[in-house]
Amino acid sequence: VSQRLRLLEHWHDRLQSRNIRTLVVAVPDKARVESEHLCGRKMSAAMQARYGELDKALAARSIAFVDLRPVLEKQSDDMYFRTDVHMNAAGAQRAAQAVASKALAVLGGQRGEQRFEVSAPTAAQARMGDLIVLSGLKNAPAGWRPELESEPQQTITPVRSGGLLDDAPPVRVLLAGSSNGLRSNFAEWLGHDLGQEVWNLSMDGGQFSGAMVKAFAQAERWPASLQLVIWEFSENTLSLPLTDDEKQALKQITTPLLADARNATE
């Protein structure tokens, strides 16, 4: 966790050097939000404390952070899919609203003027939750696996005039997220509430920093209009083993620091 916090601070500083703000979003563990459904098991004390420690660490570094615990916990409706670790439509919409509110504050309160068309929800359709797939039950017959959930579909699309000169507004916000940014219209609701489309570089399997590594790899092509990077990841990825990309990034941080220390000594 401490190594990832160092990465987070380093990349925040890199963005700040380009006059780009950073907003960190950690999606709480489903086990934290749905603790009454853990079949008598409990999260460890260390896991319980992890989210609060992240909040405090970012506050100490003056890095903007969205605490989604009060947004998702103790709600009358489910905020996550029953057979999936991702937020459902209700959870994603609430989370996006909270993130957009914080993002607008970071940007100075100026909401964009882009209009969006929100379709009516379709009839509910069965969906295969990732927990069923990861449990090897995807092809199990009915009765041998949890029942599939049904979820209506909805689209949120920017309104265009359709003219030849109908250019999209300049990109101000980049979303570097995990699979949460690709599910349940989270990114679409975020753009809707910001009043501007977000540049969505979220990726499946990105864990803690996959999308940030991907974003920095194309930093030379970032538009000059970019003002904010929203870095979203799942809470549990903080304590997963470091990826090869993260190890390499940490080496790049360490080497200049050691060189500077040697030069100072000499």
Side-chain angles (χ1 to χ4, degrees):
V1 173
S2 62
Q3 289 172 305
R4 286 201 164 96
L5 285 173
R6 189 176 186 196
L7 273 176
L8 201 158
E9 185 173 20
H10 170 68
W11 284 333
H12 165 262
D13 290 344
R14 282 187 62 183
L15 291 172
Q16 199 167 41
S17 70
R18 299 180 60 154
N19 294 318
I20 298 173
R21 310 269 184 116
T22 310
L23 177 60
V24 177
V25 181
V27 176
D29 279 348
K30 180 181 177 182
R32 178 186 297 280
V33 175
E34 302 286 354
S35 58
E36 68 273 20
H37 298 302
L38 293 181
C39 303
R41 302 180 68 85
K42 294 182 179 180
M43 294 178 69
S44 68
M47 290 180 66
Q48 284 282 4
R50 180 175 55 196
Y51 202 102
E53 290 170 351
L54 173 65
D55 191 355
K56 291 179 182 177
L58 295 180
R61 292 165 169 80
S62 298
I63 299 176
F65 178 62
V66 182
D67 186 346
L68 289 179
R69 289 175 296 182
V71 176
L72 299 174
E73 291 178 353
K74 297 180 174 60
Q75 301 300 322
S76 57
D77 297 324
D78 289 341
M79 296 288 103
Y80 291 76
F81 292 112
R82 183 172 51 84
T83 59
D84 198 309
V85 298
H86 296 97
M87 295 178 289
N88 61 17
Q93 186 173 1
R94 286 182 61 87
Q97 185 178 36
V99 175
S101 178
K102 183 72 173 184
L104 288 174
V106 171
L107 291 171
Q110 183 180 357
R111 188 180 185 278
E113 297 181 355
Q114 175 67 57
R115 294 187 300 112
F116 289 78
E117 182 176 324
V118 181
S119 73
T122 65
Q125 302 175 28
R127 68 181 302 277
M128 182 73 65
D130 62 1
L131 293 177
I132 294 179
V133 176
L134 292 172
S135 299
L137 298 174
K138 179 179 180 180
N139 298 316
W144 291 88
R145 69 181 182 196
E147 293 182 12
L148 298 185
E149 296 175 83
S150 293
E151 182 81 1
Q153 302 298 309
Q154 191 172 30
T155 59
I156 300 114
T157 53
V159 176
R160 307 287 190 203
S161 70
L164 292 175
L165 300 179
D166 184 18
D167 294 329
V171 175
R172 297 176 63 205
V173 180
L174 187 158
L175 173 61
S178 66
S179 53
N180 291 297
L182 302 173
R183 302 287 189 278
S184 303
N185 283 326
F186 174 78
E188 289 80 359
W189 280 120
L190 180 59
H192 174 276
D193 294 337
L194 288 171
Q196 58 195 283
E197 291 179 78
V198 298
W199 180 16
N200 190 3
L201 290 182
S202 300
M203 57 187 294
D204 283 322
Q207 297 188 13
F208 174 73
S209 64
M212 285 295 284
V213 171
K214 176 182 175 182
F216 274 115
Q218 50 187 285
E220 295 305 316
R221 301 193 299 275
W222 287 356
S225 56
L226 188 63
Q227 298 178 19
L228 174 68
V229 171
I230 299 176
W231 180 356
E232 178 274 317
F233 52 84
S234 294
E235 171 194 358
N236 70 302
T237 61
L238 277 169
S239 49
L240 292 178
L242 292 171
T243 65
D244 290 340
D245 284 336
E246 289 168 346
K247 291 176 183 177
Q248 185 61 36
L250 283 166
K251 287 180 181 179
Q252 293 172 355
I253 297 173
T254 304
T255 302
L257 291 176
L258 292 175
D260 289 345
R262 271 198 307 274
N263 293 336
T265 303
E266 293 170 359

